[in-house]
């Protein structure tokens, strides 16, 4: 008799949001469900009535059924609203509000021992079945994951959600970049198989479920039941895990997309400091394709240098606030002009350095540098930049040659730079460019001599350099 009674004993596993599953054994007779504390199973959900439903077990007839007690919001069996009394069978899903009840008969010993063990390929049918069976759970999962602002928060939320919804003692979410930790031994064999086959691998006490985006495995969910005598993973457990992995995939993809947009915007702002808007698009495309900023590389360039003469004395005489305003105007004028002529810009205290290289559809770099220099001087002459009756004096020096150009530093703190003798020379030439003159080196004058009037200043010795340099002035 004892054995026969056990075969007819039913278990009701109750899944409540933010709580671990609870198991209730139902013997012969009635089991009441509702919000009132006098019920056998108390449901603390706003959608539950005080006396909501009743499950009836008839051992003599080997029958189990459920009846709704005229509840306000209804009782749902396998997604259909209950009307009157309805017979139940193993694995039926009952829903009252957001509380889910899974009906399990412990009489089938083979099913208990085997559970859902084996390989389960992520077929479209299995995914749809899992989502369909656990729509309420997915609603709760999606609601919580939507507040996650980082991959770390996603992992933390998923860990708690899985432990609560599946009643497992151990849950680990392993991101793609950590898959190398699996050596193929022990439980790792199932993990490797799950990743390689894109399948859920289940043993009685362990489950490995990949988080998929198409054919790409974004992460792996590792679930373990560590308490002795715990029921093996069932088909219902598998469905829950697959449904959660689907929602996790959507959230991780969203987070990766947001991170990509954030980095692109960060890089866009970085580029905008140095290059014209049209050049930003090209550099950003290269960054998106390679994930790297253009490194230092050797290239023939024309370098323009311009600075404000005696800026220290001006700042002392004018005061920091007024001089900062003058410097800001100088930077804005320089950016407008340099970018107009498709040059790259670097701010240097009280001066600027611009780099011009060959560009499709553009004039020669030397010509664009001369045009930029003329406009810089012209902007000062027309606006005056008068402060306290003191006119700003500036000089423009230009030199052409081979330099190392590119971005140095980290992605977050990268700086555009140019290094080499051609850069050192153009800095030293500046002393011959004042007041308000444009001076150029020999390679530059060779490229523009037939386009602009020039006159030879002569061979000059520059500080820090042994050999002299021929310097020319570009006439107004």
């Amino acid at each position: 008799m004892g054995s026969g009674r056990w075969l007819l004993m039913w278990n009701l596993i109750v899944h409540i949001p933010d709580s671990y599953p609870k198991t209730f054994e139902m013997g012969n007779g009635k089991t009441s469900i509702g919000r009132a504390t006098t019920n056998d199973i108390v449901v603390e959900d706003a959608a539950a009535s005080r006396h909501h439903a009743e499950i009836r077990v008839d051992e003599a007839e080997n029958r189990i059924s459920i009846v709704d007690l005229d509840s306000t919001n209804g009782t749902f069996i396998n997604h259909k609203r209950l009307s009157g009394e309805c017979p139940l069978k193993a694995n039926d899903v009952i829903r009252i509000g957001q509380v889910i009840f899974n009906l399990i008969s412990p009489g089938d010993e083979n099913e208990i021992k085997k559970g859902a063990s084996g390989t389960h390929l992520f077929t479209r049918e299995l995914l749809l079945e899992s989502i369909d069976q656990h729509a309420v759970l997915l609603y709760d999962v999606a609601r919580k994951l939507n507040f996650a602002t980082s991959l770390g928060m996603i992992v933390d939320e998923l860990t708690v959600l899985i432990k609560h919804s599946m009643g497992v003692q151990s849950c680990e979410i392993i991101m793609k970049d950590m898959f190398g930790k699996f050596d193929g031994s022990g439980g790792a064999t199932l993990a490797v198989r799950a990743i390689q086959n894109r399948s859920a691998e289940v043993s009685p006490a362990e489950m490995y479920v990949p988080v998929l985006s198409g054919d790409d495995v974004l992460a792996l969910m590792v679930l373990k039941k560590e308490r002795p005598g715990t029921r093996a993973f069932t088909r219902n457990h598998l469905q829950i895990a697959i449904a959660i992995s689907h929602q996790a995939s959507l959230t991780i993809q969203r987070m990766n997309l947001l991170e990509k947009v954030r980095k692109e915007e960060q890089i866009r702002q970085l580029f905008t400091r140095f290059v014209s808007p049209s050049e930003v698009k090209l550099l950003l495309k290269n960054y998106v394709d390679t994930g790297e900023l253009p490194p230092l590389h050797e290239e023939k360039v024309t370098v323009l240098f311009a600075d404000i003469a005696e800026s220290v004395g001006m700042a002392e005489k004018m005061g920091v606030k007024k001089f900062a305003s003058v410097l800001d105007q100088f930077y804005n004028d320089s950016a407008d002009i340099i970018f107009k002529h498709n040059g790259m810009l670097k701010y240097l205290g009280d001066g600027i350095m611009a780099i011009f290289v060959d560009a499709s559809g553009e004039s020669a770099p030397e010509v664009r540098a001369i045009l930029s220099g003329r406009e810089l001087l012209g902007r000062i002459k027309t606006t005056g930049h008068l402060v306290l009756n003191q006119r700003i004096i500036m000089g423009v020096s230009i030199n052409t040659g081979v330099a190392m150009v590119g971005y140095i530093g980290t992605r977050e703190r990268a700086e555009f730079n140019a290094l080499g003798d051609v850069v050192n020379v153009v800095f030293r030439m500046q002393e011959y460019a004042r007041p308000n003159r444009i001076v150029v080196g020999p390679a530059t004058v060779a490229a523009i001599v037939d386009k602009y009037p020039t006159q030879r200043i002569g061979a000059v010795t520059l500080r820090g350099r042994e050999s002299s340099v021929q310097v020319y002035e570009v006439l107004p």
Side-chain angles (χ1 to χ4, degrees):
M1 183 66 180
S3 174
R5 178 176 174 78
W6 170 250
L7 288 174
L8 292 172
M9 185 72 71
W10 292 84
N11 282 347
L12 198 63
I13 300 179
V14 184
H15 299 272
I16 303 172
D18 300 323
S19 299
Y20 286 95
K22 297 178 181 178
T23 301
F24 292 88
E25 291 186 351
M26 296 179 298
N28 194 42
K30 299 177 181 179
T31 300
S32 60
I33 303 173
R35 203 171 66 248
T37 56
T38 54
N39 287 285
D40 298 311
I41 300 176
V42 178
V43 176
E44 296 179 355
D45 189 286
S49 297
R50 288 179 53 79
H51 299 283
H52 196 103
E54 193 173 79
I55 295 179
R56 299 168 180 176
V57 177
D58 187 335
E59 288 187 357
E61 297 292 332
N62 192 20
R63 185 167 63 88
I64 181 170
S65 62
I66 184 170
V67 61
D68 183 85
L69 303 177
D70 295 324
S71 66
T72 302
N73 297 302
T75 302
F76 294 81
I77 310 297
N78 301 326
H79 309 300
K80 294 182 179 180
R81 185 162 182 162
L82 174 62
S83 176
E85 185 172 359
C86 176
L88 294 174
K89 61 184 182 302
N91 300 320
D92 275 348
V93 178
I94 304 166
R95 178 175 71 82
I96 297 176
Q98 292 192 64
V99 180
I100 303 296
F101 304 81
N102 292 113
L103 187 63
I104 297 175
S105 170
D108 189 343
E109 294 295 336
N110 291 329
E111 183 178 347
I112 294 170
K113 293 175 181 177
K114 180 182 178 183
S117 295
T119 296
H120 303 269
L121 295 177
F122 266 55
T123 63
R124 177 174 175 272
E125 289 69 25
L126 178 57
L127 177 59
L128 291 176
E129 173 192 327
S130 301
I131 294 173
D132 183 58
Q133 290 294 327
H134 300 283
V136 175
L137 172 64
L138 281 182
Y139 167 79
D140 190 50
V141 172
R143 180 174 59 84
K144 292 177 179 176
L145 290 184
N146 279 341
F147 289 99
T149 57
S150 67
L151 287 176
M153 287 183 66
I154 292 174
V155 169
D156 292 342
E157 284 288 356
L158 283 175
T159 300
V160 174
L161 284 166
I162 291 170
K163 283 184 175 181
H164 283 168
S165 60
M166 297 183 63
V168 295
Q169 290 75 53
S170 173
C171 174
E172 186 178 6
I173 311 296
I174 301 171
M175 303 307 293
K176 183 177 182 178
D177 57 358
M178 294 298 292
F179 286 172
K181 67 182 286 185
F182 300 119
D183 57 7
S185 62
T189 303
L190 294 180
V192 172
R193 192 184 303 165
I195 294 168
Q196 292 179 344
N197 297 338
R198 298 170 183 81
S199 60
E201 299 293 332
V202 187
S203 71
E206 296 183 1
M207 184 183 293
Y208 299 84
V209 180
V211 178
L212 300 178
S213 172
D215 290 334
D216 190 22
V217 182
L218 304 178
L220 184 68
M221 295 164 36
V222 180
L223 321 176
K224 296 181 180 180
K225 292 194 170 191
E226 297 176 338
R227 289 195 191 125
T230 305
R231 178 189 290 273
F233 282 116
T234 64
R235 179 80 176 182
N236 185 63
H237 290 127
L238 175 65
Q239 290 173 345
I240 292 175
I242 290 176
I244 291 177
S245 78
H246 175 69
Q247 189 61 51
S249 171
L250 298 178
T251 306
I252 292 173
Q253 289 179 71
R254 174 176 62 84
M255 194 61 61
N256 288 340
L257 179 60
L258 290 175
E259 181 65 13
K260 180 181 178 181
V261 171
R262 185 190 70 80
K263 286 185 177 180
E264 286 185 14
E265 183 57 30
Q266 187 179 56
I267 297 300
R268 186 189 298 278
Q269 292 177 358
L270 174 68
F271 286 151
T272 302
R273 295 170 55 197
F274 307 123
V275 299
S276 62
S278 60
E279 189 73 8
V280 167
K281 293 181 180 179
L282 179 61
L283 288 171
L284 189 60
K285 181 181 183 303
N286 291 337
Y287 171 77
V288 171
D289 292 342
T290 65
E292 299 292 337
L293 296 173
L296 285 173
H297 60 282
E298 192 174 74
E299 188 171 0
K300 182 183 178 183
V301 297
T302 295
V303 185
L304 177 151
F305 180 74
D307 72 346
I308 299 173
E310 300 181 10
S311 59
V312 175
M314 286 181 62
E316 182 180 4
K317 187 175 182 179
M318 296 165 56
V320 175
K321 185 175 181 180
K322 288 184 177 180
F323 182 70
S325 177
V326 172
L327 199 59
D328 183 61
Q329 183 63 49
F330 171 61
Y331 282 162
N332 286 331
D333 290 345
S334 300
D336 289 344
I337 293 168
I338 299 304
F339 292 165
K340 172 184 172 183
H341 295 290
N342 205 14
M344 292 170 279
L345 183 64
K346 181 178 175 66
Y347 301 108
L348 302 168
D350 59 358
I352 57 104
M353 179 177 71
I355 303 293
F356 300 87
V357 298
D358 284 323
S360 176
E362 297 281 351
S363 303
E366 296 86 353
V367 171
R368 285 183 281 130
I370 297 297
L371 290 172
S372 299
R374 284 187 160 184
E375 288 190 38
L376 279 170
L377 294 179
R379 188 75 62 94
I380 286 179
K381 289 179 181 178
T382 56
T383 61
H385 286 75
L386 295 177
V387 181
L388 299 178
N389 297 320
Q390 179 173 349
R391 184 179 297 277
I392 289 178
I393 297 175
M394 190 181 74
V396 175
S397 55
I398 301 172
N399 194 29
T400 300
V402 175
M404 296 294 292
V405 295
Y407 294 84
I408 57 177
T410 66
R411 295 181 186 179
E412 289 75 18
R413 297 183 178 274
E415 286 288 341
F416 171 77
N417 216 332
L419 308 171
D421 186 59
V422 62
V423 180
N424 297 332
V425 168
V426 80
F427 286 158
R428 301 306 183 195
M429 286 169 56
Q430 181 67 196
E431 58 185 291
Y432 296 95
R434 298 170 185 149
N436 301 330
R437 303 165 71 190
I438 298 177
V439 297
V440 299
T444 304
V445 79
I448 56 96
V449 68
D450 59 339
K451 298 177 179 65
Y452 300 99
T454 61
Q455 70 177 15
R456 182 174 175 272
I457 295 176
V460 299
T461 301
L462 304 177
R463 281 181 298 138
R465 204 169 187 277
E466 294 183 3
S467 57
S468 59
V469 175
Q470 291 290 338
V471 177
Y472 302 79
E473 179 182 2
V474 178
L475 300 175

